[in-house]
Amino acid sequence: MQYIWLIPLLPGLGALVNGLVGIRAFSRRTSGAVACATMIAALGVSLLAFWELLGLPADARAYDVTLASWIPAIPLQTQSGMGSLQVPWGFRLDPLSGLMILVVTGIGTLIHIYSTAYMAAEPRGGVARFFCYLNLFCFFMLVLVLGNNYLVMFVGWEGVGLCSYLLIGYWYQKKSASDAGKKAFITNRIGDWGFILGIFLVFYTFGTLDFRAVQNAAGAMRVESAGIGVLSIICLLLFVGAVGKSAQIPLYVWLPDAMEGPTPVSALIHAATMVTAGVYMVGRNAVLFSHAPTVMLIVAVVGVLTALFAASIGLVQYDIKRVLAYSTVSQLGYMFTAMGVGAFSAGAFHLMTHAFFKALLFLGSGSVIHAMGGEQDMRRMGGLKKYLPVTYATMVIGTLAIAGIPPLSGFFSKDEILFRSFEANKAIWALAVVTAMMTAFYMFRLLSMTFFGAYRGPAWEGAHRVGAHLAADPHDHGHAAAAHGAQDSQAGHGHGHGAWHGPHESPNAMTYPLMALAVGAIVAGFVGIPTALYGGNTIEHFLEPSFTAEEVRLKPDTTTETTTGTTTETATATGTLAATETTTGAAAVTEAESVRSVRLQPDQAPETPEAEESHALLELGLMGFSVLIAAIGIGVAWKLYVTSPEIADQLAERFAGAHRVLSNKYYVDELYDATVISGTMAGGRGLWAVDRNVIDGAVNGTGWVTIISSWFSGLTDRTVVDGLVNLVGRVVEAGSVVFRRLQTGLVQNYALVMLFGIFAFVSIYLFMRAGTL
Amino acid sequence: MGQAIAFYTLSAFILGFAVLVVSTKDTVHSVLFLVLDFLFVAALYVLLGAPFLAAIQVLVYAGGIVVLYLFVVMLVNLKRSPEAHHDPHRRARLGFVLAALVLIEVGAIAAYSAGGPVRPAAPQAPPTAAATAVSAMRAVGNTEEVGWLLYTNYLIPFEVASMLLLVAMIGAIVLAKREL
Amino acid sequence: MITPTHYMLLSAALFIIGVIGVMVRRNIIIIFMSIELILNAVNINLVAFSREWQHAVGQVFAIFVVAVAAAEAAVGLGIILAFYRNKETVNIDEMNLMKW
């Protein structure tokens, strides 16, 4: 398992190759092949690593690999004296990160394959650039999920933010796209600010950044049931980071705009993986969060409010991708609700299932957009069922899955969340149920408007054969054409090859990933069939070690002893993901369930078998209720958009105010514009004015002073200094007149002088001699 | 007595030719007088018991160096004498003054020498061992003695002198070459 | 009796003649010959004392002087030739390139 560092490095290598060589030299096919090959290799390595992980005993399923040292030991002040900040490039494979790498590499691979067809009409270098970014994103995402300490995770965290920015702004010539990219990046900055402050506080509190060490240290601390302690502040700051990355209230505004990017990007980054990083991060810090109940409540409330809020906006949107974007925000809200009520496994489970069906829905919508030549407005679709049979079938599966219809994957994960929130807080549960109904409604609205009814899109050559009479209407036609023109740049990518010949099914490279994801959307839920349905809820047990501190987990416990055998058996059975539900006895697993609840709520006494029974009944009842709710939502959507479409318009007229508010997304963007953005802009202008007047003035003043003083200095130089130098020269010149005369240049003169000298010495000698005698 | 006659005769010739060397207008004549002068000096060396040096004087000076001078005089080929210049008496007066000064000084030295103990007390006692060896070899002859000294005590100066000559030779060739 | 004083006087006289030649004449060739005279005066002195002291070292030095004189003559005459080629004269008064 020491090769797990290969998993992120393989896509990183692909990005490097495509970025350095591909943009200049590779054909579309080659760059796509390079990107897909690295992703498939990463998927293979991930599967191998995951398989090995399953081979380990349940309590030992964690593997750390230190690739290289990064930050050498730096002494830093912490709460308990001087600490040492030492961070390695460490990767950690445990059940949670194992699940995440499978999601990222699995869905990433499918989306890479899908992209080869979807981006086929792009210019050559653009395709390589796209795949470079996409691979780079996978690299950072895998670093994020595999990092074994906060700082490595932060590297991945920032990296995926960067790639998100690059990919949203992939069509950077389009102002709305580059604006959306900037919006996403800047909004994420706010969250990252909280995250990094949280990291600082983690280090200050625990003296380390390693997840395991922090988890164990936090596990030993007191639960901050009343008031706000240091753990609560850490969790709050980390949650701010999660809110930014996972598009929760109040930082969700970037995600709908992020739909400006290519659809595979929306599917991979803004539905399946990156936006779930916040959920993953909360799950990673489950021990910390479960020690801060106040923050947990905040998380749950924010999550459920976001879910409801986004779902309500999604009800009235017409852009197919925006509906899905709001749906994503809403589903992320679900996940946070799960995290907030302490159902970390349920949140992670929903993360996984959501990754499948939401990627499926996005790719399906991409297929629809592709078929419509870049059209995204659902009002100009309709009746596409017969043109896009594969897309239609897979989209239905995805829609049923997200609506929570059994036995598709969304049902299991969503019901787990609903059940756990019912246990925790009835109000939250009620809101979540309303959201579930809305989800079912808007998803079937989307499905109906797109695939059912009459064709409302623009006409094409030979349109009369299909009998699209609405399209033949000259007024409507002109309108559609204008709208189509507005979408030109996107139409260009969607259908670069020649004229548009009407809606048609997408190529195999796009439909096969859809089918694969559809299979995933059906079966992904089977790993988490709840106890009430005589399932093993395998995934919960599998993920459990990631959410608890080691000390708690390893504490000798009478109840655990009885269940150890079955738990291990369950864990082993997870290897064969499809056929797990029947391998373990329901009773044994309920006991395991109770053990878990003991762990999470130490005060609570273990439940009696009778209570277990009523528990299961309650869960079954709730399931039935939520299915009913989903069915109602579907029914209403069917009624409004398929059987009698006029009612929808009447309703919109009757509740014009509400409709307008929803259509304008509660005016949140406008509110932000009016408050935060214009405030920042005004502040920026003020600072600019200060800059221009005061700072520039000071700089210019300094410049003037320098010029003037240098003029004086020059004057002094010319008169005084030069004068002195010339004076010295003149003095020397004048003084040298006599000596100059001596330098006749005549050899005989010199010899004469020499001779005089000799005579002088001889004379002195003689006189001295005369004196001695 | 004969030695005194020889000395005075030779001195008279030496000085006389020297004056002629310095004073003759024609350079070629000057060179010829120089040859004669050197020959008389060689004779004086014989008188002083240094026949080897006398031979060298004749061979090197009279035979070598003076021929060199002659060559140069021929090469330079003076059309007019450099002495035909302004104020020919300028340096002459100075010369007479100098000569007078020298005569006075020489006279003074002679006067002191006659009166004072100029000579060391024991001239026959050479201070070094080498000199003792030389004294022992006096019977062999002047040439051997000089040769012995040159190749023993003064070997290194001798070799340096040969280097000097080599360098001078190369230098002269380089300087005399028309194009460097 | 001829004493070293006689030789010294002869030597001094020859020396002075040489010096006068160097000082008075303008023909550089004559000046060089005067220098040879001066060197001969020195040699006479050396040989005289060599005899007086019964020691051959004076003669050895005289030989060195002859060697140096030969070298000096060779180089000096080379310089004269080079100078003459440039200036077409051997007048020492025109050799004033070192003048200020």
Side-chain angles (χ1 to χ4, degrees), chain A residues 50-51 53-56 58 61 95 99 102 352 526-528 536-543 566-581 583-584:
Chain A
F50 193 75
W51 187 75
L53 186 72
L54 289 175
L56 294 172
R61 279 182 188 151
L99 182 74
L102 283 191
M352 182 186 84
F526 295 158
V527 298
N537 208 349
T538 319
I539 189 145
E540 183 156 348
H541 299 299
F542 174 65
L543 289 174
T566 36
T567 320
T568 322
E569 202 184 327
T570 319
T572 348
T574 325
T576 52
L577 279 175
T580 46
E581 58 269 32
T583 50
T584 25

Side-chain angles (χ1 to χ4, degrees), chain A residues 59 223 290-291 540-541 544-545 547-549 551-555 557 559-561 563-564 567 591-604:
Chain A
D59 273 338
V223 176
S290 45
H291 280 69
E540 183 156 348
H541 299 299
E544 198 58 54
F547 299 136
T548 46
E551 275 83 329
V552 181
R553 229 187 309 144
L554 299 176
K555 199 187 290 173
D557 196 330
T559 35
T560 28
E561 267 175 3
T563 57
T564 311
T567 320
E591 270 187 43
E593 184 92 342
S594 71
V595 170
R596 185 192 42 71
S597 58
V598 169
R599 284 172 199 144
L600 285 178
Q601 296 145 333
D603 313 326
Q604 205 176 319

Side-chain angles (χ1 to χ4, degrees), chain A residues 79 110 126 129 144 218 271 291 376 460 465 495 580 605 643 657 688:
Chain A
Q79 201 175 31
L110 291 175
R129 184 162 61 89
L144 193 164
H291 280 69
Q376 295 197 9
W460 65 93
R465 281 194 286 119
H495 244 83
T580 46
T643 52
W688 178 65

Side-chain angles (χ1 to χ4, degrees), chain A residues 125-140:
Chain A
V127 173
R129 184 162 61 89
F130 177 81
F131 279 113
C132 169
Y133 293 165
L134 214 55
N135 263 355
L136 192 66
F137 167 78
C138 289
F139 165 69
F140 279 125

Side-chain angles (χ1 to χ4, degrees), chain A residues 416-441:
Chain A
E416 182 70 11
I417 293 172
L418 287 175
F419 171 57
R420 295 299 299 273
S421 50
F422 182 79
E423 276 184 328
N425 192 324
K426 302 284 182 295
I428 288 175
W429 172 78
L431 290 175
V433 167
V434 173
T435 308
M437 190 168 77
M438 287 183 178
T439 308
F441 174 80

Side-chain angles (χ1 to χ4, degrees), chain A residues 369-535:
Chain A
I369 294 166
H370 184 80
M372 297 298 292
E375 181 60 69
Q376 295 197 9
D377 194 330
M378 293 192 292
R379 283 170 293 192
R380 279 189 280 283
M381 295 177 182
L384 294 177
K385 191 166 57 171
K386 60 184 171 192
Y387 304 114
L388 304 165
V390 178
T391 309
Y392 166 67
T394 51
M395 283 281 273
V396 165
I397 291 170
T399 308
L400 289 174
I402 194 174
I405 300 300
L408 299 175
S409 60
F411 165 74
F412 296 110
S413 56
K414 191 184 273 188
D415 265 328
E416 182 70 11
I417 293 172
L418 287 175
F419 171 57
R420 295 299 299 273
S421 50
F422 182 79
E423 276 184 328
N425 192 324
K426 302 284 182 295
I428 288 175
W429 172 78
L431 290 175
V433 167
V434 173
T435 308
M437 190 168 77
M438 287 183 178
T439 308
F441 174 80
Y442 67 65
M443 282 316 297
F444 266 82
R445 174 173 171 271
L446 184 150
L447 202 63
S448 312
M449 288 182 82
T450 311
F451 290 104
F452 294 102
Y455 179 72
R456 299 182 295 276
W460 65 93
E461 234 176 295
H464 57 276
R465 281 194 286 119
V466 199
H469 63 278
L470 269 173
D473 179 4
H475 172 74
D476 200 41
H477 186 187
H479 184 67
H484 201 230
Q487 300 276 3
D488 230 349
S489 60
Q490 225 161 338
H493 87 81
H495 244 83
H497 43 87
W500 181 60
H501 295 299
H504 57 90
E505 186 57 276
S506 305
N508 286 345
M510 283 165 75
T511 50
Y512 286 165
L514 283 179
M515 292 181 221
L517 284 170
V519 171
I522 295 168
V523 302
F526 295 158
V527 298
I529 294 175
T531 6
L533 290 178
Y534 306 103

Side-chain angles (χ1 to χ4, degrees), chain A residues 733 736 740 743-753 755 758-759, chain C residues 16 19 22-26 31 92-100:
Chain A
E733 204 179 359
S736 71
R740 201 162 60 218
Q743 296 289 332
T744 54
L746 294 173
V747 182
Q748 282 175 318
N749 267 10
Y750 302 154
L752 188 66
V753 172
L755 203 61
I758 292 167
F759 285 141
Chain C
I16 290 301
V19 168
V22 169
M23 299 277 74
V24 173
R25 298 301 299 258
R26 290 198 178 78
I31 289 173
I92 197 162
D93 282 352
E94 291 177 34
M95 293 190 186
N96 54 1
L97 293 174
M98 284 163 72
K99 199 166 133 184
W100 172 73

